[in-house]
Amino acid sequence: MERATRYSKKREAILNVIRATDIHPSAEWVYQKLKPDHPDLSLGTVYRNLALFQRQGMIQSVGVVNGQERFDGVTAPHSHFVCRRCGAVMDLHRTKLDVGLDHRVEEEYGLSVERHELIFYGCCQDCLGKAEAHKI
Amino acid sequence: MERATRYSKKREAILNVIRATDIHPSAEWVYQKLKPDHPDLSLGTVYRNLALFQRQGMIQSVGVVNGQERFDGVTAPHSHFVCRRCGAVMDLHRTKLDVGLDHRVEEEYGLSVERHELIFYGCCQDCLGKAEAHKI
DNA sequence: ATGACTGCAAAGACTTTGCATCTTT
DNA sequence: AAAGATGCAAAGTCTTTGCAGTCAT
């Protein structure tokens, strides 16, 4: 059983920052974002709370991009796109996956499936534009 | 342009090891597997060659599981299952994804899509069994 | 007061890299 | 001989953790 959690101003702030952005931030990004308003915040606290939020199911990991784990405050199922050039992670809310897919995989392979991730890799619009500009 | 690559006994061995298994090994696993036959192999060489194989498109990363990057010698599109308990990564060859998906995402979002990954997370059969045995 | 939360800094884990040496061509 | 490949070990990144002090209940 997870021990009781008390209120904490910094914990609240960390969750708010994650929920207020759609860039799927890393721990470091959250830390930098909060530093101005919480000068005494430490990176360890960010990591500890990210881990807590994950255990509680309030946020999810989108995976590791360029060595840094990226998080998503939206836990409803949706797909992601990862730019291999700049590391941007974006939501693809319009790309729906079959709702029964998890269950079908369970049946077919005899596994217990909790969730799935559909991730597209490529080059984002920004980077495509920059690459183009560079060539000219 | 990638500089020319010469033959190397160890490089060949590394690729063979990856191609001979379906466990989606980590660098460390490849290293340990080769150590008996190549006592003077170094982990750095494994990393360097894994990076090379990736650039050449001979292997692909399946992502980072429990802190370690995992690789797949099969580059043809297929889905994966990751056990959150033991970290096992397995192929789901029977779970096909729409072939035109990449292209449709490109059109819909104005991105350049190279490939996608569909990964299921849950508990594998082995771990389900162990959990069951533990309860009794 | 109790026990959770945090800052700080050290430790850990994985990966990358510089350099001298060995191999391939 | 020239240039790539490797071993070794140091360095680099990101993340976790121990401990003493602080804060919520």
Side-chain angles (χ1 to χ4, degrees):
Chain A
M1 181 62 189
E2 177 100 20
R3 68 186 177 187
T5 61
R6 295 182 175 175
Y7 172 80
S8 137
K9 183 175 282 190
K10 284 165 186 168
R11 174 178 299 149
E12 185 179 42
I14 292 168
L15 187 55
N16 283 341
V17 160
I18 297 171
R19 288 187 167 159
T21 183
D22 63 350
I23 70 158
H24 308 82
S26 64
E28 180 68 31
W29 190 92
V30 171
Y31 175 68
Q32 293 301 342
K33 193 78 175 178
L34 288 170
K35 210 64 201 293
D37 284 333
H38 303 262
D40 64 337
L41 177 66
S42 95
L43 200 45
T45 295
V46 174
Y47 277 109
R48 275 187 283 236
N49 279 293
L50 289 174
L52 173 65
F53 295 149
Q54 274 193 96
R55 288 197 300 276
Q56 297 178 331
M58 310 184 77
I59 67 173
Q60 277 187 351
S61 170
V62 192
V64 177
V65 178
N66 292 334
Q68 296 192 144
E69 182 150 29
R70 303 284 288 268
F71 300 91
D72 193 339
V74 179
T75 55
H78 61 286
S79 314
H80 293 102
F81 173 84
V82 175
C83 177
R84 298 177 52 142
R85 188 176 296 231
C86 70
V89 178
M90 24 206 291
D91 291 318
L92 303 183
H93 284 298
R94 279 174 285 170
T95 302
K96 304 287 182 203
L97 252 198
D98 197 332
V99 183
L101 202 52
D102 286 353
H103 192 61
R104 242 181 299 136
V105 169
E106 285 197 334
E107 304 273 293
E108 203 167 347
Y109 294 90
L111 306 159
S112 165
V113 176
E114 293 166 15
R115 68 190 193 91
H116 64 251
E117 276 282 347
L118 173 59
I119 304 185
F120 295 82
Y121 296 91
C123 194
C124 73
Q125 262 180 326
D126 275 15
C127 288
L128 282 175
K130 283 174 192 163
E132 208 49 53
H134 214 270
K135 281 176 194 163
I136 297 171
Chain B
M1 183 63 187
E2 177 98 23
R3 66 187 178 187
T5 61
R6 294 182 176 176
Y7 171 81
S8 136
K9 183 175 280 189
K10 285 166 186 166
R11 174 176 300 150
E12 183 177 46
I14 292 169
L15 187 54
N16 285 341
V17 161
I18 297 172
R19 289 189 165 158
T21 182
D22 63 350
I23 71 158
H24 307 83
S26 63
E28 180 68 31
W29 189 92
V30 171
Y31 175 69
Q32 294 300 340
K33 193 78 175 178
L34 288 171
K35 210 64 201 291
D37 285 333
H38 303 262
D40 65 337
L41 177 66
S42 95
L43 200 42
T45 294
V46 175
Y47 277 108
R48 275 187 281 237
N49 279 294
L50 289 174
L52 173 65
F53 294 151
Q54 275 193 94
R55 287 197 300 276
Q56 297 179 331
M58 310 185 77
I59 68 173
Q60 276 188 350
S61 170
V62 193
V64 176
V65 178
N66 293 333
Q68 296 192 144
E69 183 149 30
R70 303 285 287 270
F71 300 91
D72 193 339
V74 179
T75 55
H78 60 286
S79 314
H80 293 102
F81 174 84
V82 175
C83 177
R84 297 178 51 142
R85 189 176 294 233
C86 69
V89 177
M90 25 207 292
D91 289 319
L92 302 183
H93 284 298
R94 280 173 284 169
T95 302
K96 303 287 182 205
L97 253 199
D98 196 331
V99 183
L101 203 51
D102 286 354
H103 192 61
R104 242 181 300 136
V105 168
E106 285 197 334
E107 303 274 295
E108 203 166 349
Y109 294 89
L111 306 158
S112 164
V113 175
E114 292 167 15
R115 66 189 196 93
H116 65 251
E117 274 282 346
L118 174 59
I119 305 186
F120 295 82
Y121 296 91
C123 194
C124 72
Q125 264 181 326
D126 275 15
C127 289
L128 282 174
K130 283 173 192 163
E132 207 49 52
H134 214 266
K135 281 176 191 161
I136 296 171

